[in-house]
């Protein structure tokens, strides 16, 4: 009996080994996939994208910004710490690569916009393709401003200039928000030294009926085909060095320009108009919203990888009027663009809104379809974070510091990055580059953002690992 027990115990001693092998075999089977098209069997562990050693689909769902360094250090990790290098992350944009264009080599901006980890802060500047650059002025003076953005090859060359000069993390199409005015029914023009103005500016509610073109009847491809051609050509010329941003003016800002005559101020006229003819103003804004949506969807179809809506003159409205004549249309644009892209089977792209001068209403964008909120110079970073905890923030360097010495620029740029943190953040100006800005000092700003944010990430990484 004892011998039998001994024999039984010897048999049982093999049970843990058998169990271990069985469990391992089950786990192996769980990692095996079948390609339905080829019927070939392969391991999930070997299916990483050819663009990178690690596909996002293979990053464990628990790998949030709190535990990318160590599964045991989540309680100590700050969301501002550096995480993975570009070689180890493939963004959604890369997975949705449009075969018409070169592979995107720098997706830092898109990752930041989507709230994914970044190893440093991406940086670009509003109006970065502009008159502060000697190479820009050379082309613009030769061809004239209107011809520059009406000619796809020239617009593409101008868009790429700051990417070549500063290695910016984004390109924004060289164009003008006023290109939508003729589509709305308002012709505009400009001459040297004079602000653009509407030839047939809207002044009364009767003008709205006579002038406004119904957005539902507009073939946006026919009307603005040259802009879409510029987008496609620019994507090709960028050679994947940076994502391309497509933009539009917001309905309220467009309305102000429909009322800007040669000898009258459109902003003042617009403020008076909404008091005299609020229903007519609504008709303009509703119509503009539909056109903006068509326009932005067209830009994505042409190759834009991110979108931005500029409400440059929102700040002239009172808070009450902003909520009445601007905010609803801004929110609707993001909803309609994303639903429109889905309906066409087009991958969604990140969207940014810039409600300039409206820090009082930031919280209204927290539950919006926008991924990024761009901030003007007057918004405190900590306040913005408190109002927009789930959004990526963009901004808000004060352009006046570009006129200072390089040491001052470095100090202010570094302080800005410290206040915003390095995650869910895109460095930019609170407004835009001015034609008087020094190209060299713009370079100081860009370099400092990169250096300061990389250093912050590395220090945070070391503190977590240490």
């Amino acid at each position: 009996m004892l011998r039998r027990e001994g024999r039984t115990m010897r048999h049982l001693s093999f049970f843990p080994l058998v169990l271990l092998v069985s469990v391992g075999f089950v786990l192996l089977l769980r990692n095996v996939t079948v390609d339905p098209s080829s019927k070939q069997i392969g391991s999930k562990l070997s299916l990483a994208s050819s663009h990178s050693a690690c596909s996002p689909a293979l990053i464990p769902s628990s790998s949030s910004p709190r535990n990318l360094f160590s599964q045991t250090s989540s309680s100590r990790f700050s969301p501002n710490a550096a995480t993975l290098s570009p070689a180890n992350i493939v963004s959604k944009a890369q997975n949705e690569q449009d075969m018409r264009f070169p592979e995107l080599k720098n997706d830092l901006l898109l990752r930041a916009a989507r709230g994914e980890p970044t190893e440093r802060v991406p940086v670009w500047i509003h109006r970065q393709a502009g008159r502060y650059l000697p190479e820009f002025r050379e082309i613009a003076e030769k061809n004239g401003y209107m011809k520059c953005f009406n000619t796809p090859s020239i617009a593409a060359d101008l868009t790429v200039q700051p990417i070549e000069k500063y290695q910016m993390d984004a390109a924004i199409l060289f164009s003008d928000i006023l290109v939508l005015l003729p589509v709305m029914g308002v012709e505009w023009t400009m001459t040297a030294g004079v602000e653009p103005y509407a030839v047939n500016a809207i002044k009364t509610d009767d003008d709205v009926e006579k002038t406004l073109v119904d957005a539902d009847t507009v073939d946006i491809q026919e009307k603005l085909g040259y802009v879409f051609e510029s987008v496609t050509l620019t994507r090709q010329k960028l050679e994947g060095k940076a994502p391309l941003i497509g933009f539009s003016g917001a309905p309220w800002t467009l309305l102000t320009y429909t009322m800007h005559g040669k000898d009258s101020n459109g902003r003042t006229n617009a403020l008076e108009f909404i008091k005299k003819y609020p229903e007519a103003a609504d008709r303009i804004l509703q119509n503009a919203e539909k056109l903006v949506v068509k326009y932005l969807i067209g830009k994505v179809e042409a190759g834009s990888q991110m979108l931005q809506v500029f409400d440059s003159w929102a700040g002239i409205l009172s808070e009450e009027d902003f909520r009445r004549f601007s905010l609803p249309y801004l929110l609707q644009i993001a909803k309609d663009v994303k639903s429109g892209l889905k309906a066409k089977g087009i991958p969604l792209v990140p969207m940014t809104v810039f409600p300039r001068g409206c820090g009082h209403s930031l919280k209204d964008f927290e539950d919006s379809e926008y991924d990024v909120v761009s901030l003007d110079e007057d918004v405190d970073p900590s306040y913005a974070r408190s109002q927009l905890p789930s959004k990526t923030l963009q901004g808000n360097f004060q352009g006046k510091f570009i006129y200072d010495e390089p040491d001052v620029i470095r100090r202010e740029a570094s302080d800005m990055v410290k206040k915003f943190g390095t995650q869910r953040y895109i460095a930019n100006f609170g407004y835009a580059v001015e034609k008087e800005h020094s190209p060299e000092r713009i370079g100081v700003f860009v370099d400092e953002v990169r250096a300061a944010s990389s250093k912050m990430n590395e220090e945070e990484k070391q503190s977590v690992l240490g």
Side-chain angles (χ1 to χ4, degrees):
M1 186 67 180
L2 287 174
R3 187 176 296 171
R4 286 182 179 176
E5 287 178 357
R7 191 176 298 126
T8 302
M9 292 300 293
R10 284 196 300 272
H11 286 190
L12 289 174
S13 67
F14 286 97
F15 182 76
L17 179 60
V18 173
L19 179 63
L20 181 61
V21 171
S22 300
V23 171
F25 184 69
V26 170
L27 290 175
L28 178 62
L29 286 177
R30 290 183 63 187
N31 275 326
V32 172
T33 60
V34 179
D35 184 336
S37 60
S38 66
K39 303 301 182 185
Q40 291 178 339
I41 297 177
S43 170
K44 285 182 182 178
L45 299 178
S46 65
L47 294 180
S49 166
S50 61
H51 300 311
S52 170
C54 181
S55 168
L58 302 181
I59 298 175
S61 59
S62 61
S63 294
S64 68
R66 294 188 177 276
N67 60 8
L68 281 168
F69 288 132
S70 169
Q71 294 295 324
T72 62
S73 61
S74 60
S75 62
R76 297 159 51 207
F77 183 64
S78 161
N80 286 334
T83 52
L84 300 178
S85 67
N88 292 328
I89 290 184
V90 179
S91 76
K92 294 176 183 177
Q94 285 175 292
N95 286 338
E96 297 156 358
Q97 178 71 31
D98 190 326
M99 299 310 294
R100 293 175 295 170
F101 307 114
E103 178 185 342
L104 182 61
K105 302 167 188 174
N106 175 6
D107 68 344
L108 198 63
L109 178 88
L110 303 184
R111 282 191 277 134
R114 290 186 167 112
E116 298 171 11
T118 56
E119 58 280 1
R120 66 167 175 81
V121 170
V123 56
W124 70 282
I125 308 174
H126 295 142
R127 223 155 50 199
Q128 63 188 22
R131 290 174 291 176
Y132 72 105
L133 291 174
E135 52 268 44
F136 176 96
R137 292 197 299 272
E138 181 180 352
I139 295 175
E141 290 169 4
K142 177 182 177 181
N143 295 281
Y145 183 76
M146 299 283 279
K147 182 179 178 181
C148 284
F149 67 77
N150 283 330
T151 308
S153 60
I154 300 177
D157 286 341
L158 294 175
T159 302
V160 173
Q161 281 182 350
I163 310 304
E164 299 293 347
K165 190 176 188 72
Y166 302 111
Q167 292 75 54
M168 294 288 195
D169 295 307
I172 184 164
L173 184 71
F174 175 73
S175 186
D176 199 296
I177 62 174
L178 300 186
V179 298
L180 273 176
L181 290 194
V183 184
M184 296 172 68
V186 178
E187 297 300 326
W188 68 285
T189 189
M190 66 180 300
T191 55
V194 178
E195 187 177 3
Y197 63 89
V199 176
N200 55 331
I202 292 175
K203 299 176 182 178
T204 68
D205 55 349
D206 288 338
D207 292 336
V208 175
E209 297 302 322
K210 291 185 296 185
T211 305
L212 211 62
V213 175
D214 184 354
D216 292 332
T217 68
V218 171
D219 182 339
I220 202 73
Q221 294 290 339
E222 177 188 345
K223 295 293 185 181
L224 295 174
Y226 69 94
V227 178
F228 303 132
E229 186 180 343
S230 297
V231 170
T232 302
L233 186 56
T234 301
R235 270 291 301 272
Q236 292 165 346
K237 288 193 174 186
L238 281 169
E239 299 177 335
K241 294 173 183 174
L244 177 61
I245 300 172
F247 70 90
S248 175
W252 167 254
T253 291
L254 291 171
L255 180 148
T256 67
Y257 283 110
T258 66
M259 300 179 183
H260 188 80
K262 185 175 183 180
D263 300 314
S264 62
N265 186 291
R267 296 177 286 283
T268 301
N269 295 342
L271 292 175
E272 293 175 352
F273 191 91
I274 62 175
K275 300 304 180 183
K276 290 181 181 179
Y277 314 108
E279 293 81 9
D282 281 334
R283 290 199 295 276
I284 297 173
L285 294 166
Q286 290 164 4
N287 205 61
E289 188 271 336
K290 292 179 181 180
L291 286 174
V292 169
V293 170
K294 285 186 174 184
Y295 185 44
L296 292 177
I297 290 175
K299 285 193 169 181
V300 176
E301 290 177 306
S304 293
Q305 294 151 292
M306 190 165 174
L307 298 172
Q308 179 156 330
V309 180
F310 287 87
D311 210 348
S312 305
W313 299 118
I316 67 173
L317 291 164
S318 67
E319 183 174 349
E320 180 181 358
D321 285 339
F322 172 73
R323 294 180 183 281
R324 169 74 170 78
F325 294 104
S326 176
L327 179 64
Y329 302 100
L330 290 173
L331 298 178
Q332 195 63 42
I333 285 169
K335 289 180 182 178
D336 290 348
V337 167
K338 292 195 173 182
S339 63
L341 291 173
K342 286 180 181 177
K344 288 177 173 248
I346 300 171
L348 301 186
V349 300
M351 293 186 67
T352 301
V353 62
F354 184 21
R356 185 183 173 211
C358 296
H360 50 68
S361 298
L362 293 180
K363 195 172 184 65
D364 291 302
F365 295 99
E366 170 61 14
D367 294 325
S368 74
E369 292 293 323
Y370 290 102
D371 306 274
V372 182
V373 178
S374 198
L375 308 172
D376 60 68
E377 299 171 347
D378 296 328
V379 179
D380 178 73
S382 60
Y383 172 75
R385 287 286 184 204
S386 72
Q387 299 298 295
L388 299 161
S390 72
K391 301 298 182 185
T392 293
L393 301 181
Q394 177 174 274
N396 65 344
F397 190 74
Q398 297 185 50
K400 66 182 182 181
F401 290 120
I402 297 298
Y403 297 106
D404 277 308
E405 294 301 315
D407 286 347
V408 175
I409 298 171
R410 292 188 189 97
R411 181 193 70 208
E412 295 298 327
S414 180
D415 286 349
M416 178 184 70
V417 173
K418 288 176 183 176
K419 290 176 182 177
F420 278 102
T422 64
Q423 301 301 303
R424 280 194 175 275
Y425 175 50
I426 299 165
N428 203 319
F429 278 20
Y431 181 45
V433 178
E434 301 291 347
K435 64 180 181 180
E436 297 84 7
H437 282 160
S438 159
E440 291 73 23
R441 294 185 183 185
I442 291 292
V444 171
F445 164 76
V446 172
D447 290 343
E448 182 59 28
V449 168
R450 290 184 175 131
S453 60
S454 295
K455 181 179 179 183
M456 285 176 61
N457 271 344
E458 185 59 29
E459 289 175 348
E460 186 68 27
K461 177 180 177 180
Q462 293 304 319
S463 70
V464 170
L465 295 178

